[in-house]
Amino acid sequence: MNISTNNLSIGYGTNVVQQGLTISLHSGEVVALLGPNGCGKTTLLRTLAGLLPRLGGDISPLLTEKNMALVLTERLSLDNTSVHDVVAMGRYPYTSFLGTLSDEDEQIIRSAIEAVGLDDAMAQHQFNALSDGEKQRVLIAKALAQETDLILLDEPTAHLDLPNRIRVFRLLHDLAVNRGKTVLISTHELDLALSFADRAFLMGEGGVQVIDAPQQAKAMPAVRAAFSQAFGIDVFDY
């Protein structure tokens, strides 16, 4: 799914966080959204998803639950809710008024759970009993069950240890390559993002800089300087 913005302004109420954003997302790619705290990464995701109103400019096409899945950073506490039921929430935009799941819905749910490396036995476990890494995979499975072409994720590895952070990035990359998903991930995991992403959007006071070859960022003086300006430190000097 191809998404574009034209001269987009984002923020809260009358507080403009970023303006003049003209960016594009393409099918089959992972784009890492990078930048320091407060630069507008989460605000951009929420605006793209329609949770915050645009303060100016355009988004094309406008996103809904049927063409976009959103995975936020907040920890969820769902008492007496199984993994299956959490993933099933991704089917609600397509079910009847009563929320009845069809055989096709159940097959999509099973396929989504399998795609994130979980099994039928795990599907019956209580969501609240899972580890943070398992919970994150379940939430990605829920996004997969929506069967949207675009997945937006806000800090999906924030509460995970290193092995699970790597697994999440690898999974998102595989979804883009093997399923043609468009993935936009806001993250502070600079090393992993630059390793797995096809492109990066670096947000700072001056807007967004598009980085087309993130794996080579460290070796490109202009890009390295842009990171230093955005973060106030040479992030590659360690």
Side-chain angles (χ1 to χ4, degrees):
M1 182 178 188
N2 295 329
I3 310 295
S4 62
T5 72
N6 181 41
N7 202 31
L8 180 67
S9 295
I10 60 174
Y12 296 86
T14 59
N15 179 32
V16 177
V17 177
Q18 289 280 357
Q19 57 187 345
L21 303 180
T22 298
I23 55 177
S24 61
L25 301 167
H26 308 301
S27 298
E29 72 170 359
V30 176
V31 177
L33 185 57
L34 307 172
N37 288 335
C39 70
K41 300 188 298 299
T42 297
T43 306
L44 175 59
L45 288 181
R46 289 178 176 269
T47 304
L48 291 175
L51 300 182
L52 289 173
R54 289 170 285 144
L55 302 186
D58 297 301
I59 301 170
S60 180
L62 292 178
L63 302 177
T64 70
E65 288 183 332
K66 291 190 177 182
N67 62 13
M68 171 275 305
L70 178 64
V71 180
L72 295 174
T73 189
E74 290 92 346
R75 292 191 183 193
L76 293 180
S77 180
L78 299 170
D79 293 330
N80 301 317
T81 306
S82 70
V83 167
H84 170 276
D85 291 344
V86 173
V87 179
M89 293 176 187
R91 298 305 301 161
Y92 288 171
Y94 309 96
T95 59
S96 67
F97 177 75
L98 297 176
T100 305
L101 296 171
S102 67
D103 290 343
E104 180 182 2
D105 290 322
E106 291 289 359
Q107 179 56 51
I108 291 169
I109 292 166
R110 285 193 296 272
S111 296
I113 291 172
E114 182 179 317
V116 299
L118 303 177
D119 55 25
D120 290 339
M122 182 66 75
Q124 305 310 314
H125 287 197
Q126 292 295 300
F127 179 79
N128 278 354
L130 303 181
S131 68
D132 285 341
E134 290 168 335
K135 285 180 178 178
Q136 198 60 54
R137 284 193 280 169
V138 171
L139 295 177
I140 293 174
K142 173 180 172 290
L144 288 179
Q146 280 185 243
E147 291 203 312
T148 62
D149 294 325
L150 172 66
I151 303 177
L152 307 176
L153 305 102
D154 186 19
E155 296 287 351
T157 59
H159 308 299
L160 307 185
D161 58 15
L162 180 59
N164 278 306
R165 294 201 299 269
I166 294 172
R167 290 187 184 103
V168 166
F169 272 93
R170 185 174 291 145
L171 169 62
L172 295 173
H173 182 265
D174 289 346
L175 291 174
V177 171
N178 299 322
R179 298 197 179 196
K181 302 290 186 183
T182 305
V183 178
L184 177 61
I185 173 174
S186 169
T187 181
H188 287 292
E189 303 285 352
L190 188 60
D191 287 348
L192 289 174
L194 295 179
S195 296
F196 282 95
D198 299 291
R199 290 189 298 147
F201 295 161
L202 177 61
M203 296 187 74
E205 292 183 0
V208 173
Q209 178 169 338
V210 178
I211 299 170
D212 291 317
Q215 293 81 8
Q216 302 173 29
K218 186 175 182 178
M220 295 186 288
V223 173
R224 186 164 178 162
F227 273 95
S228 296
Q229 181 178 4
F231 286 95
I233 189 175
D234 187 347
V235 296
F236 299 108
D237 184 18
Y238 57 88

